[in-house]
Amino acid sequence: MGLGGCIILIGVGAVLAFATDWEMDSVNVDMVGWIMMIVGVVGVFVYASVMRRRRMVVPPTTTVVSEDERRL
């Protein structure tokens, strides 16, 4: 799930938790909204963690030879 999906989960969860007055016998709509918001926030943190690992720069293990050194 990408960042956009996480943000959509947070938005839909907030709407279900705070902006609806639906009453269902077997489902607590407010709790479903809170769960969706929590899953969305966890997804944002996981996505940020994965993207931070991908951006890490690893120094080269071999020596870099410049053009001047090759000609000598």
Side-chain angles (χ1 to χ4, degrees), residues 3-4 7-8 10 12 14-15 17 20-21 23 30 33 39-40 45 48-49 53 61 63 67:
L3 185 61
I7 293 172
I8 288 172
I10 294 170
V12 171
V15 168
T20 59
D21 291 344
E23 295 290 331
D30 292 335
V39 169
F45 285 123
S49 172
R53 282 191 213 141
T61 57
T63 58
E67 289 293 324

Side-chain angles (χ1 to χ4, degrees), residues 27-40:
V27 177
N28 186 352
V29 178
D30 292 335
M31 186 58 65
V32 170
W34 278 103
I35 291 170
M36 289 175 72
M37 285 191 294
I38 291 169
V39 169

Side-chain angles (χ1 to χ4, degrees), residues 56-65:
M56 284 181 25
V57 176
V58 179
T61 57
T62 60
T63 58
V64 179
V65 178

